[in-house]
Amino acid sequence: MVNGSLVATCEVLQYSFYVDQDNIQTLLLLHAYHAGLYFNRTYPINKTTRKSMGLYSSSRVPASSALLLCFCVLLLAGVHGGSRRLYIVYLGDVKHGHPNDVIASHHDLLSDVLGSKEDSVASLVHNYKHGFSGFAAMLTEEQAKQLAESPEVISVEPSRSYTATTTRSWDFLGLGYQTPGDLLREGRYGEDIIIGVVDSGIWPESRSFSDQGYGPVPSRWRGKCEVGQSWDGNNCSRKIIGARFYSAGIDEEVLKADYLSARDGMSGHGTHTASTAAGSVVEGASFHGLAAGVARGGAPHARIAVYKSLWGPRAQGSSTTILAAIDDAIHDGVDVLSLSIGGGGPDDKDSFGMLHAVQKGIAVVYSAGNDGPRPQTVGNTAPWVITVAASTIDRSFPTVITLGNKQQIAGQSLYYQDKNSARSSFRNLTTGVGDLSCTEEALNGTDLKGKTVMCFPEDGKLALTPLWEFQSALQNVRKAGGSGLVFAQYTTDILGNTANCGGIACVLVDLDTGYQILEYMGSASSPVAKIEPARSFTSKEILAPKVAAFSSRGPSIYNADVIKPDIAAPGANIIAARGNSYMFASGTSMAAPHVSGIVALLKALYPQWSPAALKSAIITTASVTDEHGMPILANGLPRKIADPFDFGGGHINPNRAADPGLIYDIDPNDYNIFSCIMKRSASCNTTVVPGHLLNLPSISVPDLRYPVTVSRTVTNVGEVDAVYHIAIESPVGVRMEVEPSVLVFNAANKVQTFKVKLSPMWMFQGDYTFGSLTWYNDQRTVRIPVAARITIHDFFADVA
């Protein structure tokens, strides 16, 4: 216990704080809004911090010094009344003209609590001084409480932990490079739009970040290229125009496994997301021949600003690093922020950073999370950000399994054979002893050398996606000497784990296919099977898009009166850059940069549009049916027709978003009213306004007991003279009325307001039902989703 305490204390002294999964991140986005930026949401010590701690050239402290420092800290902990941890202190808008004056004000405030300027300097980890005012500091619980009582302080919260949550997808979305769609061409391929990527860094040598043919860096750019380990000024270019990194509060062991610079490390996550959003055109990209084609980002001529906030092989970060990145991004002049991160908690206490960004005109795009198909798991739910669900595309990777009776069965995988791999051949086919699962116990003592193993999930585990179960089965089969693995599961949305099976053949099959194989095994005296390498197959015959099973679902636990996620975009089996090659990855982390790239194109086409207008254009033009007219489905248990809690307004349709007809715009200051609910605004009054009263391109009433009337205002951005009629699809059990039912626009009347009345038709404790409101004419349809839940009691168990 004593040794453990000393180790923990020494780690704090080295500023490699372990940040537990507690508590901060959305008001930053509102300042970005006023600056014209967008975000996608998916975080290792900087030099200043190292110097303040006396760590000039090494991240390690000599053992003797560490021991002495440990005793010092233990003494200090006793003096200050408890152990210290990292807190985020939020002060609202910047109230001083120069960043140095902002920092001085932070020290004054902290010195009043800690007793001296010296203690303040030792406690501070990072100052937020550009887009908003605040700081990260090591404090005891009592010191945090004292700070929270100051009239200057809006909130004091513990720093949270965060983690990270293509050749075909852009063609699938109608943005083909060879025959560019309307938005890609009219948006000038995103030329000179600056996308800030808050992630695990970037691999600058990748062909996806070539700056060949690019002009000078935009003169409005105020960022910098921060040098560090394996990164110098030459790693920035006319494509990667800025690079910063933030490591305060990250565990020392995590930092050791990464580059202390903006260079992407083992995870490759940031390189993948950056190339998806804004990668340059690369001919002949593939993963060992699979998915061969042209790799590029959605806005291939956009510039990239890198803000490394995630570290190590698992791409871990904290509130401290992410807020620091957003603060600098606001100062640097990005147009769009892309954050493929999650894990900070469902209450969005860190959302003030995003609010400040949005209020500066920056559009912010976040990933929704990968905890689906369970309901109420969606993250990053602040109404000022774009929250993105993940979908599938019309490409599969059939992997043929030939049984000994010559029957051929198709599964899916990314299995390939390189020059060192054994060629495909028939091998004995078996299962675990007395158990169809491939747990360590089921395979214990079984000689699987040279055999292919048929595996099923453990009993009761079918509700899980195949991620860790497949990985566990693969490890056990390899350990027992197996040469192949066929794994049955209800969904094959995620194939990434089959890309590297350690030299053995592996394939995922559906449950019914798995039982067909079992029937053959039961009828054959010596069952055998041969697994061929996967092939790429793209066809309109594939039912797509579908909401991916892993994609987190609504409603939001804390903000149920705002429909989240907002939109769905491709996020399953997406190929993009990683290091010097190209890899598949799945997750809402892959979906968010698709939206970031599209927002960049829209920003280039409509530079004066606000983040809310851009978000509205995407949501109101989204598709709820596929090209065959079939309703878009959501994979899960069971598969079902997708609803707004699966994909918000629907599946993104970029070319339609370029011509939305009407937009639901929002004055960024209006978000301050909603932020009062989250206790993240300095301008709160006693009136709490529900989120459904914001002029959002959606309506959600989670507590419908009596008739409720909400207003919405639309702005005509199409032909000057236009007439729109209303089409109402009421949620089941709700009567929905719209007044007026016709909107007439002309040169003198570009903005119109209408009222929506929702009335419960019955009195009972209900569940959510869904509908929509659509304004239409001969040229356009402008649709928003509606969700309502009839209730009669304040508290009840069945909420989703």
Side-chain angles (χ1 to χ4, degrees):
M1 178 63 70
V2 173
N3 288 339
S5 299
L6 287 175
V7 170
T9 305
C10 290
E11 288 177 347
V12 170
L13 284 169
Q14 295 173 43
Y15 269 63
S16 297
F17 312 114
Y18 174 76
V19 184
D20 62 11
Q21 294 185 10
D22 267 294
N23 297 319
I24 294 183
Q25 202 151 4
T26 293
L27 291 180
L28 275 175
L29 296 179
L30 191 44
H31 270 279
Y33 201 174
H34 276 317
L37 292 177
Y38 275 80
F39 290 67
N40 270 331
R41 188 170 166 196
T42 309
Y43 303 131
I45 299 173
N46 62 36
K47 293 184 177 179
T48 302
T49 303
R50 290 182 184 280
K51 288 182 179 180
S52 71
M53 297 301 295
L55 306 177
Y56 292 95
S57 59
S58 171
S59 61
R60 303 294 298 274
V61 178
S64 58
S65 301
L67 185 59
L68 178 60
L69 288 171
C70 288
F71 282 117
C72 293
V73 167
L74 289 173
L75 287 173
L76 285 172
V79 170
H80 290 292
S83 60
R84 300 193 305 165
R85 64 183 300 186
L86 192 58
Y87 283 86
I88 305 295
V89 181
Y90 174 54
L91 305 174
D93 293 328
V94 173
K95 299 179 179 63
H96 302 81
H98 195 279
N100 289 342
D101 296 330
V102 181
I103 294 173
S105 71
H106 296 168
H107 282 297
D108 291 343
L109 178 62
L110 196 53
S111 297
D112 289 343
V113 172
L114 301 185
S116 70
K117 178 70 174 292
E118 290 73 19
D119 286 344
S120 171
V121 171
S123 174
L124 267 168
V125 175
H126 191 90
N127 296 95
Y128 309 114
K129 54 190 179 293
H130 299 301
F132 58 97
S133 180
F135 55 86
M138 293 297 294
L139 303 168
T140 65
E141 184 177 355
E142 182 60 33
Q143 291 166 348
K145 289 180 179 178
Q146 291 180 44
L147 271 174
E149 293 171 356
S150 170
E152 302 172 57
V153 174
I154 295 176
S155 66
V156 180
E157 297 287 348
S159 181
R160 302 165 177 248
S161 295
Y162 287 89
T163 56
T165 30
T166 136
T167 56
R168 174 59 192 168
S169 56
W170 294 113
D171 290 341
F172 178 66
L173 293 175
L175 296 178
Y177 192 78
Q178 303 300 331
T179 55
D182 295 340
L183 178 57
L184 189 61
R185 182 179 62 255
E186 294 174 7
R188 305 188 317 279
Y189 302 86
E191 183 174 347
D192 287 346
I193 296 297
I194 302 169
I195 301 178
V197 181
V198 181
D199 213 296
S200 66
I202 200 166
W203 193 262
E205 293 83 6
S206 170
R207 293 180 292 164
S208 287
F209 308 122
S210 168
D211 66 353
Q212 184 176 356
Y214 281 73
V217 173
S219 58
R220 59 191 171 86
W221 175 245
R222 300 186 301 274
K224 68 177 184 178
C225 186
E226 189 174 4
V227 299
Q229 183 182 1
S230 299
W231 187 289
D232 59 30
N234 294 325
N235 290 121
C236 289
S237 64
R238 290 170 297 177
K239 180 67 174 180
I240 302 173
I241 64 173
R244 297 178 184 262
F245 61 97
Y246 311 88
S247 59
I250 304 300
D251 187 86
E252 186 72 17
E253 293 303 313
V254 175
L255 294 180
K256 289 177 184 177
D258 208 330
Y259 297 98
L260 200 60
S261 70
R263 181 173 291 277
D264 204 355
M266 293 175 62
S267 77
H269 191 269
T271 300
H272 200 283
T273 57
S275 63
T276 300
S280 301
V281 176
V282 177
E283 302 278 354
S286 74
F287 175 74
H288 298 280
L290 290 173
V294 176
R296 64 172 180 86
H301 293 179
R303 315 297 179 115
I304 296 172
V306 181
Y307 299 91
K308 183 174 179 177
S309 306
L310 304 179
W311 299 85
R314 295 177 54 207
Q316 301 167 263
S318 72
S319 305
T320 307
T321 59
I322 295 176
L323 289 171
I326 295 170
D327 185 35
D328 280 338
I330 294 171
H331 166 270
D332 293 346
V334 305
D335 299 301
V336 181
L337 272 175
S338 186
L339 298 96
S340 292
I341 56 177
D347 50 358
D348 285 329
K349 288 185 177 180
D350 295 351
S351 63
F352 63 83
M354 279 36 106
L355 180 54
H356 282 277
V358 169
Q359 288 177 333
K360 297 295 186 183
I362 300 168
V364 181
V365 186
Y366 261 116
S367 54
N370 300 327
D371 295 318
R374 292 180 295 127
Q376 295 183 292
T377 54
V378 64
N380 307 316
T381 60
W384 40 88
V385 306
I386 303 173
T387 308
V388 186
S391 64
T392 64
I393 61 174
D394 61 345
R395 180 177 61 195
S396 65
F397 299 93
T399 306
V400 176
I401 305 168
T402 304
L403 304 179
N405 61 2
K406 298 185 179 180
Q407 180 184 3
Q408 289 192 325
I409 291 176
Q412 282 206 73
S413 76
L414 300 177
Y415 168 56
Y416 64 93
Q417 294 176 343
D418 57 28
K419 60 183 180 180
N420 298 319
S421 301
R423 300 299 93 182
S424 297
S425 61
F426 282 99
R427 298 180 180 274
N428 290 334
L429 185 60
T430 188
T431 62
V433 178
D435 192 338
L436 295 179
S437 71
C438 288
T439 62
E440 191 170 3
E441 294 77 13
L443 299 180
N444 185 33
T446 306
D447 181 13
L448 299 179
K449 187 174 182 180
K451 297 179 181 179
T452 295
V453 188
M454 179 72 229
C455 300
F456 284 77
E458 292 182 67
D459 290 342
K461 296 292 181 65
L462 293 180
L464 301 174
T465 53
L467 279 176
W468 73 268
E469 281 228 42
F470 172 82
Q471 212 51 36
S472 175
L474 175 62
Q475 180 179 348
N476 295 332
V477 169
R478 289 180 57 197
K479 184 177 179 180
S483 296
L485 169 62
V486 180
F487 189 85
Q489 180 51 287
Y490 74 92
T491 176
T492 52
D493 280 346
I494 305 175
L495 301 180
N497 286 350
T498 66
N500 183 8
C501 289
I504 72 172
C506 57
V507 58
L508 291 170
V509 297
D510 294 329
L511 288 171
D512 55 351
T513 304
Y515 282 107
Q516 288 182 45
I517 296 174
L518 279 184
E519 288 182 4
Y520 157 72
M521 294 174 68
S523 64
S525 57
S526 299
V528 294
K530 178 173 67 173
I531 301 176
E532 301 284 355
R535 297 179 293 108
S536 302
F537 180 69
T538 302
S539 174
K540 293 182 178 180
E541 297 173 2
I542 297 172
L543 189 62
K546 298 190 293 288
V547 177
F550 58 79
S551 188
S552 289
R553 313 298 166 92
S556 166
I557 294 176
Y558 284 84
N559 306 324
D561 48 3
V562 176
I563 290 179
K564 289 287 179 171
D566 293 300
I567 197 74
N573 307 313
I574 303 302
I575 188 170
R578 181 178 179 182
N580 291 321
S581 59
Y582 291 83
M583 294 284 290
F584 285 98
S586 292
T588 55
S589 283
M590 285 63 248
H594 277 86
V595 175
S596 299
I598 291 166
V599 168
L601 296 175
L602 290 171
K603 186 71 174 177
L605 182 60
Y606 302 110
Q608 302 307 315
W609 278 14
S610 69
L614 295 165
K615 177 179 177 178
S616 172
I618 287 173
I619 292 176
T620 61
T621 59
S623 302
V624 294
T625 58
D626 63 20
E627 64 176 20
H628 304 294
M630 295 282 290
I632 292 175
L633 302 178
N635 280 340
L637 292 174
R639 180 181 292 169
K640 66 181 183 67
I641 294 176
D643 62 50
F645 291 157
D646 300 315
F647 65 178
H651 195 264
I652 196 164
N653 188 324
N655 290 318
R656 285 191 60 201
D659 185 21
L662 306 176
I663 57 172
Y664 293 75
D665 208 352
I666 298 178
D667 181 336
N669 291 315
D670 290 349
Y671 290 126
N672 288 332
I673 300 172
F674 182 84
S675 68
C676 291
I677 302 172
M678 306 168 72
K679 299 179 181 179
R680 290 296 178 271
S681 176
S683 59
C684 294
N685 54 36
T686 56
T687 303
V688 176
V689 179
H692 62 247
L693 296 185
L694 285 170
N695 196 45
L696 296 167
S698 63
I699 297 173
S700 177
V701 183
D703 189 16
L704 185 63
R705 303 186 187 185
Y706 312 102
V708 171
T709 300
V710 300
S711 296
R712 288 293 185 268
T713 299
V714 289
T715 302
N716 181 26
V717 294
E719 289 82 5
V720 174
D721 297 311
V723 178
Y724 285 85
H725 299 265
I726 192 67
I728 301 173
E729 182 186 352
S730 296
V732 174
V734 176
R735 181 171 60 253
M736 197 156 58
E737 304 164 87
V738 177
E739 181 64 35
S741 59
V742 179
L743 300 179
V744 180
F745 297 91
N746 52 44
N749 297 289
K750 297 180 180 180
V751 179
Q752 297 280 10
T753 297
F754 62 93
K755 295 184 181 297
V756 183
K757 184 178 181 181
L758 298 94
S759 305
M761 297 173 64
W762 308 302
M763 294 296 291
F764 61 81
Q765 200 69 17
D767 202 345
Y768 283 98
T769 56
F770 307 100
S772 65
L773 292 175
T774 304
W775 292 104
Y776 69 93
N777 58 25
D778 291 339
Q779 288 78 39
R780 299 176 186 87
T781 58
V782 185
R783 180 186 181 276
I784 65 171
V786 178
R789 180 177 61 187
I790 299 173
T791 63
I792 54 176
H793 300 297
D794 286 335
F795 302 103
F796 46 92
D798 186 9
V799 296

